[in-house]
């Protein structure tokens, strides 16, 4: 039974003797096969996992690398001597297999072993577990749906539900020193069945969107951890798809930054709830984020050479994410708040020809307005003129001019794009290209409508 910590009192005996007694107590418990655990709400259910579940994870969260371990081998047998109160069980008490040590020097991290720091992205497998796709034993409202070729394990899910029913209310909704709930931890580790059961419980308690110390809800953790199945589960439970972290990034921002087509597909299917034009605290929309990410990959591909198959695949994947957002209704005309750049400005600034071609191919009512939009006074043509020494500069200039870019537009310093070109032979040649198009633009109003 839990008790509130008593006020600190002056020691009545020798402190060294007290410490020795506590050490002896731990030794006796170890010899008798008992293990004590810190009162950490995120660790509780993990201590009760069946030993038969030998779970492996490739790529656990870097942000959650020091979170509670999930390997069942590191946890001692369940203790029946402790009782906890669960308001959902009519006020009765029952064993929960959780002990609270009285040692003030106890370090909970001594028992949290089994996961080395890695990066996000889990592929979970359970030894001795049968994966099922039928759910006749569950109520229709509780029947989970398989997604992306992954099905929930019925036995594991039922075990998780059972342990949650027996868990103390305070521990279910409790958050550790980092603000993580049990749902954050299971989500970060990719434990879908446990996350599913925890989400059910927290939804009923109105705590599904609890935030950890970086402002991430369990949904945002699932997106960052690249767990599309858990993302879909959480959204089905009603998780707030527009919830933001401390950087103002919602689920769509994070998915766009990491460029995960599967995650984007799940989130975009949640429309119209999702705000496609939401801006983070840097003033960027998800489309800005994915455009920047694509440009970074294209730069790496340009440096390493087109023979890099891995970067080619990543670039294609990220460009598909751009297309998904645009097809879903994200506006290419949206400007970031700080500098006023559109995705077109970002593509030109980074010399990203592939992204530029796609953006210029998007059907628009007036593509000329799009091409000639200003970012702090500079059009995309001004930015292209500043790509000194870039071998793609001429191609970018010609692409912009072919879609109606106007060389006669001046920036805030009253400068034309031609004024920003580099010196030398190449610069002079490009000036002639801009001058020719500028002359053509000035003569165009005199032409008849039929000639237009």
């Amino acid at each position: 039974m839990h008790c509130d910590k008593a006020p600190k009192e002056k020691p009545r005996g020798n402190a060294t003797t007290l410490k020795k007694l506590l050490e002896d107590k731990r030794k006796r418990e170890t010899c008798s096969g008992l293990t004590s655990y810190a009162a950490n709400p995120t660790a509780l259910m993990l201590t009760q996992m069946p030993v038969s579940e030998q779970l492996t994870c490739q790529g656990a969260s870097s942000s959650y690398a020091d979170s509670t371990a999930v390997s069942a081998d590191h946890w001692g047998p369940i203790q029946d001597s402790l009782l906890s109160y669960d308001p959902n069980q009519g006020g009765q008490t029952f064993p929960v297999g959780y002990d609270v040590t009285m040692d003030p020097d106890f370090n909970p991290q001594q028992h949290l072993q089994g996961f080395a720091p890695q990066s996000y992205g889990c592929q979970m497998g359970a030894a001795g577990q049968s994966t099922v796709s039928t759910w006749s034993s569950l109520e229709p409202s509780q029947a989970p749906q398989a997604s992306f070729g992954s099905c929930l394990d019925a036995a594991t899910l039922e075990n998780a539900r059972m342990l949650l029913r027996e868990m103390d209310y305070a521990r279910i909704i409790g958050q550790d020193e980092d603000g993580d709930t049990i749902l954050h931890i299971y989500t970060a580790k990719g434990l879908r069945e446990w996350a599913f059961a925890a989400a059910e419980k927290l939804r009923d308690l109105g705590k599904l969107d609890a935030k950890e110390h970086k402002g991430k809800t369990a949904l945002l953790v699932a997106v960052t951890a690249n767990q599309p199945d858990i993302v879909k589960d959480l959204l089905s439970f009603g998780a707030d798809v527009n919830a933001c972290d401390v950087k103002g990034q919602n689920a769509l921002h994070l998915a766009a930054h990491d460029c995960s087509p599967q995650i984007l597909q799940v989130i975009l299917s949640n429309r119209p709830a999702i705000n496609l034009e939401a801006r983070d605290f840097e003033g960027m929309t998800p489309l800005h984020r994915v455009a920047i990410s694509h440009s970074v990959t294209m730069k790496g591909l340009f440096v390493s050479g087109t023979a890099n198959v891995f970067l080619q695949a990543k670039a294609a994947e990220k460009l598909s994410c751009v297309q998904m957002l645009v097809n879903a209704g994200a506006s290419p005309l949206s400007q970031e708040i700080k500098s006023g750049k559109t995705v077109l400005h970002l593509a030109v600034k980074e010399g990203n020809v592939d992204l530029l071609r796609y953006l210029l191919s998007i059907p628009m009512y007036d593509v000329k307005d799009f091409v000639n939009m200003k970012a702090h006074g500079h059009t995309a043509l001004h930015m292209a003129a500043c790509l000194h020494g870039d071998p793609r500069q001429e191609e970018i200039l010609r692409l912009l001019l072919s879609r109606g870019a106007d060389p006669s537009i001046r920036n805030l310093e009253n400068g034309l794009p031609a004024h920003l070109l580099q010196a030398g032979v190449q610069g002079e040649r490009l000036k002639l290209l801009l001058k020719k198009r500028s002359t053509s633009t000035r003569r165009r109003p005199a032409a008849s409508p039929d000639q237009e």
Side-chain angles (χ1 to χ4, degrees), residues 134-146 152-154 157-158 161-162 165 192-193 196-197 199-201 203-204 233 236-237:
T134 58
W135 302 91
S136 56
S137 61
L138 301 178
E139 297 179 7
S141 61
Q142 296 176 324
Q145 301 297 321
L152 285 161
D153 183 270
L157 179 60
E158 186 57 33
R161 282 171 169 167
M162 179 186 66
R165 285 194 295 268
R192 187 185 178 192
E193 290 79 9
F196 192 98
E200 282 181 322
K201 201 73 172 179
R203 173 199 59 187
D204 296 340
D233 293 340
S236 70
F237 285 129

PDB file of all heavy atoms in Angstrom, residues 134-146 152-154 157-158 161-162 165 192-193 196-197 199-201 203-204 233 236-237:
ATOM      1  N   THR A 134      -7.328 -12.076 -36.825  1.00  0.00           N
ATOM      2  CA  THR A 134      -8.737 -12.127 -36.475  1.00  0.00           C
ATOM      3  C   THR A 134      -8.900 -11.812 -35.011  1.00  0.00           C
ATOM      4  O   THR A 134      -8.065 -12.180 -34.186  1.00  0.00           O
ATOM      5  CB  THR A 134      -9.309 -13.527 -36.764  1.00  0.00           C
ATOM      6  OG1 THR A 134      -8.576 -14.506 -36.035  1.00  0.00           O
ATOM      7  CG2 THR A 134      -9.234 -13.850 -38.250  1.00  0.00           C
ATOM      8  N   TRP A 135     -10.008 -11.148 -34.682  1.00  0.00           N
ATOM      9  CA  TRP A 135     -10.200 -10.657 -33.323  1.00  0.00           C
ATOM     10  C   TRP A 135     -11.601 -11.004 -32.819  1.00  0.00           C
ATOM     11  O   TRP A 135     -12.304 -10.181 -32.271  1.00  0.00           O
ATOM     12  CB  TRP A 135      -9.990  -9.143 -33.298  1.00  0.00           C
ATOM     13  CG  TRP A 135      -8.646  -8.786 -33.793  1.00  0.00           C
ATOM     14  CD1 TRP A 135      -8.276  -8.497 -35.074  1.00  0.00           C
ATOM     15  CD2 TRP A 135      -7.451  -8.728 -33.025  1.00  0.00           C
ATOM     16  NE1 TRP A 135      -6.943  -8.264 -35.148  1.00  0.00           N
ATOM     17  CE2 TRP A 135      -6.401  -8.387 -33.905  1.00  0.00           C
ATOM     18  CE3 TRP A 135      -7.157  -8.924 -31.664  1.00  0.00           C
ATOM     19  CZ2 TRP A 135      -5.097  -8.244 -33.481  1.00  0.00           C
ATOM     20  CZ3 TRP A 135      -5.856  -8.770 -31.251  1.00  0.00           C
ATOM     21  CH2 TRP A 135      -4.836  -8.439 -32.144  1.00  0.00           C
ATOM     22  N   SER A 136     -11.988 -12.272 -32.994  1.00  0.00           N
ATOM     23  CA  SER A 136     -13.326 -12.677 -32.606  1.00  0.00           C
ATOM     24  C   SER A 136     -13.540 -12.601 -31.104  1.00  0.00           C
ATOM     25  O   SER A 136     -14.669 -12.477 -30.637  1.00  0.00           O
ATOM     26  CB  SER A 136     -13.597 -14.111 -33.084  1.00  0.00           C
ATOM     27  OG  SER A 136     -12.602 -14.993 -32.568  1.00  0.00           O
ATOM     28  N   SER A 137     -12.449 -12.694 -30.328  1.00  0.00           N
ATOM     29  CA  SER A 137     -12.581 -12.673 -28.881  1.00  0.00           C
ATOM     30  C   SER A 137     -12.746 -11.277 -28.319  1.00  0.00           C
ATOM     31  O   SER A 137     -13.033 -11.111 -27.142  1.00  0.00           O
ATOM     32  CB  SER A 137     -11.347 -13.329 -28.230  1.00  0.00           C
ATOM     33  OG  SER A 137     -10.180 -12.610 -28.580  1.00  0.00           O
ATOM     34  N   LEU A 138     -12.546 -10.244 -29.156  1.00  0.00           N
ATOM     35  CA  LEU A 138     -12.644  -8.867 -28.697  1.00  0.00           C
ATOM     36  C   LEU A 138     -13.959  -8.258 -29.138  1.00  0.00           C
ATOM     37  O   LEU A 138     -14.551  -8.659 -30.144  1.00  0.00           O
ATOM     38  CB  LEU A 138     -11.480  -8.035 -29.269  1.00  0.00           C
ATOM     39  CG  LEU A 138     -10.080  -8.511 -28.915  1.00  0.00           C
ATOM     40  CD1 LEU A 138      -9.073  -7.607 -29.615  1.00  0.00           C
ATOM     41  CD2 LEU A 138      -9.854  -8.498 -27.422  1.00  0.00           C
ATOM     42  N   GLU A 139     -14.388  -7.248 -28.402  1.00  0.00           N
ATOM     43  CA  GLU A 139     -15.577  -6.519 -28.797  1.00  0.00           C
ATOM     44  C   GLU A 139     -15.298  -5.739 -30.072  1.00  0.00           C
ATOM     45  O   GLU A 139     -14.171  -5.311 -30.313  1.00  0.00           O
ATOM     46  CB  GLU A 139     -15.997  -5.559 -27.681  1.00  0.00           C
ATOM     47  CG  GLU A 139     -16.374  -6.267 -26.390  1.00  0.00           C
ATOM     48  CD  GLU A 139     -16.766  -5.279 -25.312  1.00  0.00           C
ATOM     49  OE1 GLU A 139     -16.864  -4.082 -25.627  1.00  0.00           O
ATOM     50  OE2 GLU A 139     -16.972  -5.713 -24.168  1.00  0.00           O
ATOM     51  N   PRO A 140     -16.322  -5.543 -30.912  1.00  0.00           N
ATOM     52  CA  PRO A 140     -16.104  -4.829 -32.186  1.00  0.00           C
ATOM     53  C   PRO A 140     -15.452  -3.474 -32.013  1.00  0.00           C
ATOM     54  O   PRO A 140     -14.622  -3.071 -32.813  1.00  0.00           O
ATOM     55  CB  PRO A 140     -17.532  -4.698 -32.753  1.00  0.00           C
ATOM     56  CG  PRO A 140     -18.284  -5.837 -32.139  1.00  0.00           C
ATOM     57  CD  PRO A 140     -17.700  -6.012 -30.758  1.00  0.00           C
ATOM     58  N   SER A 141     -15.811  -2.737 -30.953  1.00  0.00           N
ATOM     59  CA  SER A 141     -15.240  -1.402 -30.750  1.00  0.00           C
ATOM     60  C   SER A 141     -13.786  -1.459 -30.349  1.00  0.00           C
ATOM     61  O   SER A 141     -13.063  -0.485 -30.456  1.00  0.00           O
ATOM     62  CB  SER A 141     -16.038  -0.660 -29.666  1.00  0.00           C
ATOM     63  OG  SER A 141     -15.951  -1.372 -28.441  1.00  0.00           O
ATOM     64  N   GLN A 142     -13.338  -2.645 -29.875  1.00  0.00           N
ATOM     65  CA  GLN A 142     -11.958  -2.767 -29.422  1.00  0.00           C
ATOM     66  C   GLN A 142     -11.092  -3.494 -30.434  1.00  0.00           C
ATOM     67  O   GLN A 142      -9.906  -3.670 -30.209  1.00  0.00           O
ATOM     68  CB  GLN A 142     -11.922  -3.537 -28.092  1.00  0.00           C
ATOM     69  CG  GLN A 142     -12.628  -2.827 -26.953  1.00  0.00           C
ATOM     70  CD  GLN A 142     -12.644  -3.669 -25.691  1.00  0.00           C
ATOM     71  OE1 GLN A 142     -12.773  -4.883 -25.753  1.00  0.00           O
ATOM     72  NE2 GLN A 142     -12.499  -3.025 -24.555  1.00  0.00           N
ATOM     73  N   ALA A 143     -11.686  -3.972 -31.504  1.00  0.00           N
ATOM     74  CA  ALA A 143     -10.925  -4.768 -32.458  1.00  0.00           C
ATOM     75  C   ALA A 143      -9.946  -3.899 -33.216  1.00  0.00           C
ATOM     76  O   ALA A 143     -10.340  -3.060 -34.012  1.00  0.00           O
ATOM     77  CB  ALA A 143     -11.883  -5.444 -33.443  1.00  0.00           C
ATOM     78  N   PRO A 144      -8.642  -4.061 -32.991  1.00  0.00           N
ATOM     79  CA  PRO A 144      -7.640  -3.251 -33.701  1.00  0.00           C
ATOM     80  C   PRO A 144      -7.486  -3.710 -35.138  1.00  0.00           C
ATOM     81  O   PRO A 144      -7.625  -4.889 -35.436  1.00  0.00           O
ATOM     82  CB  PRO A 144      -6.361  -3.509 -32.892  1.00  0.00           C
ATOM     83  CG  PRO A 144      -6.571  -4.846 -32.266  1.00  0.00           C
ATOM     84  CD  PRO A 144      -8.043  -4.987 -32.026  1.00  0.00           C
ATOM     85  N   GLN A 145      -7.190  -2.774 -36.008  1.00  0.00           N
ATOM     86  CA  GLN A 145      -7.024  -3.075 -37.411  1.00  0.00           C
ATOM     87  C   GLN A 145      -5.549  -3.116 -37.779  1.00  0.00           C
ATOM     88  O   GLN A 145      -4.766  -2.304 -37.332  1.00  0.00           O
ATOM     89  CB  GLN A 145      -7.728  -2.014 -38.270  1.00  0.00           C
ATOM     90  CG  GLN A 145      -9.227  -1.904 -37.996  1.00  0.00           C
ATOM     91  CD  GLN A 145      -9.963  -3.172 -38.341  1.00  0.00           C
ATOM     92  OE1 GLN A 145      -9.660  -3.825 -39.335  1.00  0.00           O
ATOM     93  NE2 GLN A 145     -10.953  -3.527 -37.523  1.00  0.00           N
ATOM     94  N   ALA A 146      -5.196  -4.075 -38.596  1.00  0.00           N
ATOM     95  CA  ALA A 146      -3.809  -4.199 -39.038  1.00  0.00           C
ATOM     96  C   ALA A 146      -3.491  -3.095 -40.035  1.00  0.00           C
ATOM     97  O   ALA A 146      -4.341  -2.669 -40.806  1.00  0.00           O
ATOM     98  CB  ALA A 146      -3.584  -5.560 -39.679  1.00  0.00           C
ATOM     99  N   LEU A 152      -1.623  -6.731 -34.538  1.00  0.00           N
ATOM    100  CA  LEU A 152      -1.461  -6.806 -33.094  1.00  0.00           C
ATOM    101  C   LEU A 152      -1.476  -8.262 -32.651  1.00  0.00           C
ATOM    102  O   LEU A 152      -2.204  -9.082 -33.212  1.00  0.00           O
ATOM    103  CB  LEU A 152      -2.581  -6.039 -32.399  1.00  0.00           C
ATOM    104  CG  LEU A 152      -2.492  -4.513 -32.437  1.00  0.00           C
ATOM    105  CD1 LEU A 152      -3.848  -3.910 -32.149  1.00  0.00           C
ATOM    106  CD2 LEU A 152      -1.474  -4.008 -31.439  1.00  0.00           C
ATOM    107  N   ASP A 153      -0.675  -8.579 -31.649  1.00  0.00           N
ATOM    108  CA  ASP A 153      -0.657  -9.920 -31.091  1.00  0.00           C
ATOM    109  C   ASP A 153      -1.726 -10.013 -30.001  1.00  0.00           C
ATOM    110  O   ASP A 153      -1.681  -9.278 -29.012  1.00  0.00           O
ATOM    111  CB  ASP A 153       0.724 -10.234 -30.509  1.00  0.00           C
ATOM    112  CG  ASP A 153       0.791 -11.655 -29.987  1.00  0.00           C
ATOM    113  OD1 ASP A 153       0.480 -11.860 -28.800  1.00  0.00           O
ATOM    114  OD2 ASP A 153       1.155 -12.565 -30.765  1.00  0.00           O
ATOM    115  N   ALA A 154      -2.687 -10.903 -30.194  1.00  0.00           N
ATOM    116  CA  ALA A 154      -3.838 -10.973 -29.304  1.00  0.00           C
ATOM    117  C   ALA A 154      -3.446 -11.307 -27.876  1.00  0.00           C
ATOM    118  O   ALA A 154      -3.945 -10.698 -26.924  1.00  0.00           O
ATOM    119  CB  ALA A 154      -4.833 -12.003 -29.831  1.00  0.00           C
ATOM    120  N   LEU A 157      -1.622  -8.351 -26.227  1.00  0.00           N
ATOM    121  CA  LEU A 157      -2.561  -7.267 -25.968  1.00  0.00           C
ATOM    122  C   LEU A 157      -3.432  -7.575 -24.748  1.00  0.00           C
ATOM    123  O   LEU A 157      -3.649  -6.706 -23.895  1.00  0.00           O
ATOM    124  CB  LEU A 157      -3.440  -7.032 -27.195  1.00  0.00           C
ATOM    125  CG  LEU A 157      -4.506  -5.940 -27.062  1.00  0.00           C
ATOM    126  CD1 LEU A 157      -3.864  -4.585 -26.762  1.00  0.00           C
ATOM    127  CD2 LEU A 157      -5.348  -5.859 -28.332  1.00  0.00           C
ATOM    128  N   GLU A 158      -3.928  -8.808 -24.650  1.00  0.00           N
ATOM    129  CA  GLU A 158      -4.772  -9.170 -23.519  1.00  0.00           C
ATOM    130  C   GLU A 158      -3.993  -9.128 -22.211  1.00  0.00           C
ATOM    131  O   GLU A 158      -4.502  -8.699 -21.172  1.00  0.00           O
ATOM    132  CB  GLU A 158      -5.370 -10.566 -23.739  1.00  0.00           C
ATOM    133  CG  GLU A 158      -6.382 -10.979 -22.688  1.00  0.00           C
ATOM    134  CD  GLU A 158      -7.544  -9.997 -22.572  1.00  0.00           C
ATOM    135  OE1 GLU A 158      -7.923  -9.404 -23.595  1.00  0.00           O
ATOM    136  OE2 GLU A 158      -8.053  -9.814 -21.442  1.00  0.00           O
ATOM    137  N   ARG A 161      -3.605  -5.498 -21.240  1.00  0.00           N
ATOM    138  CA  ARG A 161      -4.861  -4.983 -20.703  1.00  0.00           C
ATOM    139  C   ARG A 161      -5.099  -5.464 -19.274  1.00  0.00           C
ATOM    140  O   ARG A 161      -5.572  -4.711 -18.416  1.00  0.00           O
ATOM    141  CB  ARG A 161      -6.016  -5.417 -21.602  1.00  0.00           C
ATOM    142  CG  ARG A 161      -6.142  -4.600 -22.882  1.00  0.00           C
ATOM    143  CD  ARG A 161      -7.165  -5.222 -23.816  1.00  0.00           C
ATOM    144  NE  ARG A 161      -7.487  -4.322 -24.926  1.00  0.00           N
ATOM    145  CZ  ARG A 161      -8.157  -4.704 -26.011  1.00  0.00           C
ATOM    146  NH1 ARG A 161      -8.546  -5.960 -26.137  1.00  0.00           N
ATOM    147  NH2 ARG A 161      -8.425  -3.837 -26.962  1.00  0.00           N
ATOM    148  N   MET A 162      -4.775  -6.718 -19.034  1.00  0.00           N
ATOM    149  CA  MET A 162      -4.981  -7.282 -17.704  1.00  0.00           C
ATOM    150  C   MET A 162      -4.124  -6.564 -16.669  1.00  0.00           C
ATOM    151  O   MET A 162      -4.593  -6.195 -15.589  1.00  0.00           O
ATOM    152  CB  MET A 162      -4.639  -8.766 -17.704  1.00  0.00           C
ATOM    153  CG  MET A 162      -4.805  -9.454 -16.346  1.00  0.00           C
ATOM    154  SD  MET A 162      -4.234 -11.160 -16.377  1.00  0.00           S
ATOM    155  CE  MET A 162      -2.469 -10.916 -16.653  1.00  0.00           C
ATOM    156  N   ARG A 165      -5.469  -3.153 -15.923  1.00  0.00           N
ATOM    157  CA  ARG A 165      -6.635  -3.191 -15.048  1.00  0.00           C
ATOM    158  C   ARG A 165      -6.233  -3.332 -13.583  1.00  0.00           C
ATOM    159  O   ARG A 165      -6.952  -2.894 -12.684  1.00  0.00           O
ATOM    160  CB  ARG A 165      -7.547  -4.365 -15.447  1.00  0.00           C
ATOM    161  CG  ARG A 165      -8.356  -4.116 -16.714  1.00  0.00           C
ATOM    162  CD  ARG A 165      -9.465  -5.118 -16.868  1.00  0.00           C
ATOM    163  NE  ARG A 165      -8.963  -6.474 -17.063  1.00  0.00           N
ATOM    164  CZ  ARG A 165      -8.734  -7.030 -18.231  1.00  0.00           C
ATOM    165  NH1 ARG A 165      -8.968  -6.346 -19.346  1.00  0.00           N
ATOM    166  NH2 ARG A 165      -8.295  -8.264 -18.327  1.00  0.00           N
ATOM    167  N   ARG A 192       3.921  -2.049 -29.619  1.00  0.00           N
ATOM    168  CA  ARG A 192       2.609  -1.625 -30.096  1.00  0.00           C
ATOM    169  C   ARG A 192       1.467  -2.099 -29.200  1.00  0.00           C
ATOM    170  O   ARG A 192       0.558  -1.321 -28.871  1.00  0.00           O
ATOM    171  CB  ARG A 192       2.383  -2.124 -31.516  1.00  0.00           C
ATOM    172  CG  ARG A 192       1.096  -1.561 -32.119  1.00  0.00           C
ATOM    173  CD  ARG A 192       0.804  -2.155 -33.478  1.00  0.00           C
ATOM    174  NE  ARG A 192      -0.442  -1.623 -34.001  1.00  0.00           N
ATOM    175  CZ  ARG A 192      -1.068  -2.123 -35.060  1.00  0.00           C
ATOM    176  NH1 ARG A 192      -0.551  -3.146 -35.701  1.00  0.00           N
ATOM    177  NH2 ARG A 192      -2.210  -1.590 -35.461  1.00  0.00           N
ATOM    178  N   GLU A 193       1.471  -3.377 -28.821  1.00  0.00           N
ATOM    179  CA  GLU A 193       0.375  -3.900 -28.018  1.00  0.00           C
ATOM    180  C   GLU A 193       0.281  -3.203 -26.668  1.00  0.00           C
ATOM    181  O   GLU A 193      -0.801  -2.871 -26.182  1.00  0.00           O
ATOM    182  CB  GLU A 193       0.526  -5.416 -27.813  1.00  0.00           C
ATOM    183  CG  GLU A 193       0.299  -6.258 -29.059  1.00  0.00           C
ATOM    184  CD  GLU A 193       1.477  -6.281 -30.004  1.00  0.00           C
ATOM    185  OE1 GLU A 193       2.550  -5.768 -29.602  1.00  0.00           O
ATOM    186  OE2 GLU A 193       1.355  -6.791 -31.121  1.00  0.00           O
ATOM    187  N   PHE A 196      -0.981   0.232 -27.219  1.00  0.00           N
ATOM    188  CA  PHE A 196      -2.407   0.176 -27.525  1.00  0.00           C
ATOM    189  C   PHE A 196      -3.225   0.093 -26.235  1.00  0.00           C
ATOM    190  O   PHE A 196      -4.201   0.836 -26.046  1.00  0.00           O
ATOM    191  CB  PHE A 196      -2.684  -1.053 -28.403  1.00  0.00           C
ATOM    192  CG  PHE A 196      -4.052  -1.073 -29.035  1.00  0.00           C
ATOM    193  CD1 PHE A 196      -4.231  -0.646 -30.332  1.00  0.00           C
ATOM    194  CD2 PHE A 196      -5.153  -1.534 -28.331  1.00  0.00           C
ATOM    195  CE1 PHE A 196      -5.489  -0.656 -30.929  1.00  0.00           C
ATOM    196  CE2 PHE A 196      -6.412  -1.567 -28.908  1.00  0.00           C
ATOM    197  CZ  PHE A 196      -6.582  -1.123 -30.219  1.00  0.00           C
ATOM    198  N   ALA A 197      -2.816  -0.816 -25.334  1.00  0.00           N
ATOM    199  CA  ALA A 197      -3.537  -0.982 -24.072  1.00  0.00           C
ATOM    200  C   ALA A 197      -3.436   0.267 -23.207  1.00  0.00           C
ATOM    201  O   ALA A 197      -4.409   0.698 -22.585  1.00  0.00           O
ATOM    202  CB  ALA A 197      -2.987  -2.198 -23.328  1.00  0.00           C
ATOM    203  N   ALA A 199      -2.940   3.333 -24.261  1.00  0.00           N
ATOM    204  CA  ALA A 199      -3.717   4.400 -24.897  1.00  0.00           C
ATOM    205  C   ALA A 199      -5.202   4.257 -24.585  1.00  0.00           C
ATOM    206  O   ALA A 199      -5.897   5.254 -24.363  1.00  0.00           O
ATOM    207  CB  ALA A 199      -3.489   4.383 -26.404  1.00  0.00           C
ATOM    208  N   GLU A 200      -5.696   3.028 -24.575  1.00  0.00           N
ATOM    209  CA  GLU A 200      -7.092   2.797 -24.204  1.00  0.00           C
ATOM    210  C   GLU A 200      -7.387   3.361 -22.819  1.00  0.00           C
ATOM    211  O   GLU A 200      -8.381   4.048 -22.594  1.00  0.00           O
ATOM    212  CB  GLU A 200      -7.388   1.299 -24.203  1.00  0.00           C
ATOM    213  CG  GLU A 200      -7.590   0.684 -25.567  1.00  0.00           C
ATOM    214  CD  GLU A 200      -7.892  -0.796 -25.482  1.00  0.00           C
ATOM    215  OE1 GLU A 200      -7.298  -1.493 -24.632  1.00  0.00           O
ATOM    216  OE2 GLU A 200      -8.726  -1.262 -26.263  1.00  0.00           O
ATOM    217  N   LYS A 201      -6.484   3.035 -21.883  1.00  0.00           N
ATOM    218  CA  LYS A 201      -6.693   3.446 -20.497  1.00  0.00           C
ATOM    219  C   LYS A 201      -6.587   4.957 -20.351  1.00  0.00           C
ATOM    220  O   LYS A 201      -7.425   5.597 -19.708  1.00  0.00           O
ATOM    221  CB  LYS A 201      -5.649   2.750 -19.614  1.00  0.00           C
ATOM    222  CG  LYS A 201      -6.032   2.674 -18.147  1.00  0.00           C
ATOM    223  CD  LYS A 201      -7.128   1.644 -17.922  1.00  0.00           C
ATOM    224  CE  LYS A 201      -7.377   1.426 -16.443  1.00  0.00           C
ATOM    225  NZ  LYS A 201      -8.469   0.447 -16.219  1.00  0.00           N
ATOM    226  N   ARG A 203      -6.933   7.237 -22.607  1.00  0.00           N
ATOM    227  CA  ARG A 203      -8.043   7.912 -23.294  1.00  0.00           C
ATOM    228  C   ARG A 203      -9.251   8.020 -22.358  1.00  0.00           C
ATOM    229  O   ARG A 203      -9.887   9.071 -22.245  1.00  0.00           O
ATOM    230  CB  ARG A 203      -8.427   7.141 -24.548  1.00  0.00           C
ATOM    231  CG  ARG A 203      -9.670   7.661 -25.260  1.00  0.00           C
ATOM    232  CD  ARG A 203     -10.262   6.621 -26.179  1.00  0.00           C
ATOM    233  NE  ARG A 203     -10.643   5.413 -25.457  1.00  0.00           N
ATOM    234  CZ  ARG A 203     -11.068   4.297 -26.043  1.00  0.00           C
ATOM    235  NH1 ARG A 203     -11.180   4.250 -27.356  1.00  0.00           N
ATOM    236  NH2 ARG A 203     -11.386   3.231 -25.321  1.00  0.00           N
ATOM    237  N   ASP A 204      -9.556   6.915 -21.684  1.00  0.00           N
ATOM    238  CA  ASP A 204     -10.706   6.908 -20.772  1.00  0.00           C
ATOM    239  C   ASP A 204     -10.494   7.853 -19.589  1.00  0.00           C
ATOM    240  O   ASP A 204     -11.461   8.356 -19.012  1.00  0.00           O
ATOM    241  CB  ASP A 204     -10.952   5.489 -20.260  1.00  0.00           C
ATOM    242  CG  ASP A 204     -11.348   4.531 -21.384  1.00  0.00           C
ATOM    243  OD1 ASP A 204     -11.786   5.019 -22.440  1.00  0.00           O
ATOM    244  OD2 ASP A 204     -11.187   3.307 -21.206  1.00  0.00           O
ATOM    245  N   ASP A 233      -2.964   3.885 -34.496  1.00  0.00           N
ATOM    246  CA  ASP A 233      -3.712   3.491 -33.295  1.00  0.00           C
ATOM    247  C   ASP A 233      -4.079   4.708 -32.453  1.00  0.00           C
ATOM    248  O   ASP A 233      -5.222   4.858 -32.022  1.00  0.00           O
ATOM    249  CB  ASP A 233      -2.895   2.503 -32.457  1.00  0.00           C
ATOM    250  CG  ASP A 233      -2.683   1.161 -33.152  1.00  0.00           C
ATOM    251  OD1 ASP A 233      -3.464   0.849 -34.079  1.00  0.00           O
ATOM    252  OD2 ASP A 233      -1.748   0.443 -32.777  1.00  0.00           O
ATOM    253  N   SER A 236      -6.722   6.800 -33.925  1.00  0.00           N
ATOM    254  CA  SER A 236      -8.034   6.154 -33.817  1.00  0.00           C
ATOM    255  C   SER A 236      -8.622   6.329 -32.425  1.00  0.00           C
ATOM    256  O   SER A 236      -9.849   6.310 -32.247  1.00  0.00           O
ATOM    257  CB  SER A 236      -7.909   4.662 -34.149  1.00  0.00           C
ATOM    258  OG  SER A 236      -7.203   3.954 -33.137  1.00  0.00           O
ATOM    259  N   PHE A 237      -7.759   6.509 -31.422  1.00  0.00           N
ATOM    260  CA  PHE A 237      -8.219   6.734 -30.056  1.00  0.00           C
ATOM    261  C   PHE A 237      -8.571   8.202 -29.804  1.00  0.00           C
ATOM    262  O   PHE A 237      -9.066   8.544 -28.733  1.00  0.00           O
ATOM    263  CB  PHE A 237      -7.156   6.294 -29.051  1.00  0.00           C
ATOM    264  CG  PHE A 237      -7.057   4.802 -28.894  1.00  0.00           C
ATOM    265  CD1 PHE A 237      -5.825   4.162 -28.995  1.00  0.00           C
ATOM    266  CD2 PHE A 237      -8.177   4.032 -28.635  1.00  0.00           C
ATOM    267  CE1 PHE A 237      -5.734   2.791 -28.853  1.00  0.00           C
ATOM    268  CE2 PHE A 237      -8.090   2.666 -28.496  1.00  0.00           C
ATOM    269  CZ  PHE A 237      -6.863   2.026 -28.610  1.00  0.00           C
TER     270      PHE A 237
END
